[in-house]
């Protein structure tokens, strides 16, 4: 018996309006678990032989919404969204919280595979066995808050009409896109609730390209049965106990605690597009958020004991009406300090606009900072932008975010994300602007710098990660530490669970065994399963296309800025060390069985049972070795 | 036994739904949110509403039941459901001012909170997590009718809650 899974996936072909239910072989599930790992397998199998030609924003791309066997059981349920990324042209596993994953599992499915492109805007409605492609004309063009309100009300009406015997129906799980996704921005997020986002990868733009405005799901069943229920329940109790009793500061202040701390204590927070990484603006401390803008001090998703989210709203003044969660650390940094904004109100306001537009806060904040530095240097003018983009002006940044979401004027270029915008603007301005683009392989870097060496990401964190600038899945192999090990983080993204609740790494394997009954050891995970997935992700990332390719000799590299000495703060003068970088990079490749350019060797692929990947990599080897 | 009542503070509900998890585990043996006797409605994100039986002093649901499947536990004041006698007619839902009873998702009987015989699991996890959205209080006795004010639909509660949490402007034209 297959434990921990429903064993069913919904396949939706939007071009032909065809819906079917697929089963995935148990052996494949065992070898790829779920979430990010399974996404890599599905994408390699189905798109691998034509990968370079597949336009991520075209109908041939697949859009995957996958849970894992731990989803719903491990406290803090998330869903992993993937496909060919319009940012990196590789695969990114992008996860988001909310109640969607739990509803989908209770509806009887482990995931949804979307292909094709609808002729007109649609949304997908799932209620257990009842699945329907529905017209979305009336919500196309709507921003986040309006989209959610309409969808909840409409769904509740429909549920009551179709299944009236039930009594009151509870709200469904919803994933949706805002205008940014509709307009195929490469930095659009897939949104959940009204401020949760799967931002890395740009899958909001993929949803938009398929004219898929939302997915709505209501499940009536229980979670699928597990192999050892007693053990699963005791593990759940332990996660909750540790969160509540031992990690109280974490749950009390959430990731936003770093809003002041990361800048002040570790000199690794982006400030004015990473020109600095240190600040001592006490106006931006967590205490200021707490007393001024938090209207709910604990907010969380299914089963979560930590509830590290905090809900913020501005009730008066010029930013009245703004609502967002926290903002969490990443958004305090990218839509705060990175834009020179140091007031909680200004930060909450910009975050609320970015959320409502369906832009990724990290990618969006990065490109806004990039544009503002070009304005500071006189490279982009008020004429170019239509806005005086002064540091610290929340309204100016919110207006530019709108232009990006609607692709108006300069927004059409910035909607392509920092890397592609830098290429285009360099051409237009006839100067090299790439040095101001703080990204890795088309993906903006998370808000944790490496120059001071005091924060967690290793020196190769972003340069070598198969997920580009992702600050969660950083390139590193310290197996005892989740946040310094790409292979461990791959488990959280495949499980699929919230990594912020993984206070003990062993829990991941304990849960997996108790839920599935499979005895997958840590060694098997690191040496085989995770290594295999990393090899697939790496191969397809290097294969790339159709518009942009990565040469590992050039692009397995930090942004230029990280080699510039920090200009201020207690760590003034510190920068990433080139020699250290090259040494660490070569050790990293070697440990994974990759060659000196980071291409998995034939021998490694054989060992991993990935012989068929060798042909693809031979193409890359030929290209790299011959030039 | 002291008559208990589950007091609720909607503005403090974190939306974690651990109450739904433990309730369904206790009564169904599975993690099964739709079969939970307490349900968290999120008609507007951020405005989570724990919705469960308030034990009205006049028990309109018990009154409306044509088969006497519903009865009052005099010790705990909770409504007890006799699964054998329940014919899933939904008359108790119609009678409840808050539309709180709901049908079991796969079996043919109604779900109503029975206070776990005086030791409710939902309260325990909410207290363990220190969210304090649910806690045990003695059954209000000064004016029994006041209890009934809590028997409102999630829609009605959400509207008031919106005014409290997001402000008056937001409440307008919300649901």
């Amino acid at each position: 018996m297959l434990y921990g899974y429903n064993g069913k996936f919904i396949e939706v072909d939007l071009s032909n309006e065809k819906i079917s239910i697929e089963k995935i072989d148990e052996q494949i599930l065992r070898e790829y678990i779920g979430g990010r790992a399974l996404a890599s397998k599905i994408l390699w199998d189905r798109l691998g032989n034509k990968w370079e030609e597949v336009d991520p924003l075209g109908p041939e791309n697949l859009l995957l919404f996958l849970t894992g066997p731990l989803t719903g059981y491990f406290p803090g349920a998330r869903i992993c969204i993937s496909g060919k990324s319009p940012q990196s042209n590789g695969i990114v596993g992008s996860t988001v919280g909310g109640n969607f994953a739990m509803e989908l599992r209770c509806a009887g499915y482990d995931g949804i595979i979307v292909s094709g492109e609808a002729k007109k805007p649609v949304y997908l409605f799932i209620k257990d066995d009842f699945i329907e492609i529905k017209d979305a004309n009336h919500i196309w063009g709507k921003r986040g808050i309006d989209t959610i309100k309409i969808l909840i009300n409409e769904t509740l009406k429909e549920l009551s009409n179709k299944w009236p015997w039930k009594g009151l129906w509870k709200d469904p799980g919803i994933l949706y896109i805002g205008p940014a996704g509709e307009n195929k921005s490469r930095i659009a997020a897939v949104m959940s609730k009204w401020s949760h986002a799967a931002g890395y990868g740009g899958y909001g733009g993929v949803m938009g390209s398929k004219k898929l405005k939302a997915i709505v799901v209501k499940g009536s069943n229980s979670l699928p049965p597990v192999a050892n229920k007693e053990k699963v329940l005791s593990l759940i109790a332990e996660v909750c106990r540790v969160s509540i009793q031992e990690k109280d500061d974490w749950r009390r202040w959430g990731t936003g605690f770093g809003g002041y701390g990361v800048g002040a204590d570790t000199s690794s927070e982006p400030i004015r597009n990473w020109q600095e990484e240190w600040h001592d603006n006490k106006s931006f401390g967590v205490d200021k958020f707490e007393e001024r803008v938090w209207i709910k001090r604990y907010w969380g998703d299914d089963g979560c004991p930590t509830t590290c989210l905090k809900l913020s709203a501005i009730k008066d003044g010029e930013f009245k009406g703004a609502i967002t969660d926290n903002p969490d650390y990443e958004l305090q940094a990218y839509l705060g300090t990175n834009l020179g904004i140091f007031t909680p109100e200004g930060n909450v306001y910009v975050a609320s606009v970015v959320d409502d537009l369906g832009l990724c806060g990290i990618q969006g904040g990065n490109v806004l900072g990039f544009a503002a530095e070009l304005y500071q240097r006189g490279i982009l003018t008020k004429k170019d932008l239509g806005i005086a983009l002064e540091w610290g002006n929340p309204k100016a940044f919110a207006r530019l975010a709108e232009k990006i979401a609607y692709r108006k004027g300069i927004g059409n270029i910035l909607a392509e994300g920092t890397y592609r915008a830098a290429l285009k603007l360099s051409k237009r301005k006839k100067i090299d602007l790439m040095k101001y683009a703080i990204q890795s392989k088309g993906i903006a870097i998370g808000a944790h710098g490496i120059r001071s060496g005091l924060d967690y990401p290793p020196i190769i964190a972003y340069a070598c990660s198969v997920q580009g600038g992702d600050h969660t899945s950083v390139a590193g192999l310290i197996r005892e530490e989740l946040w310094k090990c790409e292979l461990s983080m791959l488990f959280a993204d495949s499980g699929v669970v919230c990594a912020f609740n993984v206070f003990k790494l062993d829990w991941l394997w304990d849960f997996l065994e108790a839920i599935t009954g499979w005895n997958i050891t840590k060694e098997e995970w690191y040496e085989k399963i995770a290594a295999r997935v990393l090899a697939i992700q790496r191969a397809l990332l290097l294969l790339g296309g159709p518009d942009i390719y990565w040469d590992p000799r050039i692009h397995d590299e930090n942004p230029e800025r990280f080699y510039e000495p920090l200009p201020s703060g207690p760590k003034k003068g510190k920068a990433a060390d080139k020699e250290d970088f090259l040494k660490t990079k070569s050790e990293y490749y070697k440990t994974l069985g990759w060659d000196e350019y980071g291409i998995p060797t034939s021998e490694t692929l054989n060992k991993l049972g990935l012989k068929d990947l060798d042909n693809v990599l031979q193409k890359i080897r030929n290209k790299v070795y011959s030039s | 036994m002291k008559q208990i009542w589950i007091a609720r503070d909607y503005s403090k509900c974190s939306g974690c739904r651990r109450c739904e998890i433990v309730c369904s585990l206790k009564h169904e043996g599975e993690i099964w949110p739709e079969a939970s006797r307490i349900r968290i409605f999120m008609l507007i994100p951020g405005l989570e509403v724990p919705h469960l039986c308030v034990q009205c002093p006049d028990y309109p649901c018990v009154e409306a039941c044509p088969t006497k499947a519903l009865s009052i536990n005099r010790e705990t004041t909770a409504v007890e459901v006799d699964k054998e006698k329940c014919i899933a007619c939904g008359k108790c839902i119609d009678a409840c001012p808050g539309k709180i009873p709901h049908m079991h998702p796969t079996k043919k009987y109604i779900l109503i909170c029975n206070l776990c015989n005086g030791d409710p699991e939902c309260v325990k996890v909410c207290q363990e997590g220190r969210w304090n959205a649910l806690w045990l209080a003695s059954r209000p006795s000064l004016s029994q009718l006041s209890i009934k004010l809590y028997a409102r639909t999630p829609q009605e509660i959400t509207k008031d809650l919106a005014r409290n949490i997001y402000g008056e402007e937001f409440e307008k034209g919300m649901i």
Side-chain angles (χ1 to χ4, degrees), chain A residues 170-171 220 229 248 296 303, chain B residues 13 16 20 29 32 42 129-130:
Chain A
K170 236 170 46 164
D171 48 281
S220 319
K229 194 189 276 182
D248 196 47
K296 198 174 240 191
Chain B
C13 176
C16 73
E20 291 183 350
W32 196 347
M42 188 193 71
R130 298 195 297 276

Side-chain angles (χ1 to χ4, degrees), chain B residues 103-121:
Chain B
M103 216 55 78
H104 190 288
T106 58
K107 296 167 195 163
K108 289 210 156 56
Y109 56 82
I110 202 76
L111 299 173
I112 300 176
C113 165
N114 73 345
L115 294 174
C116 293
N117 252 335
D119 189 19
E121 296 290 322

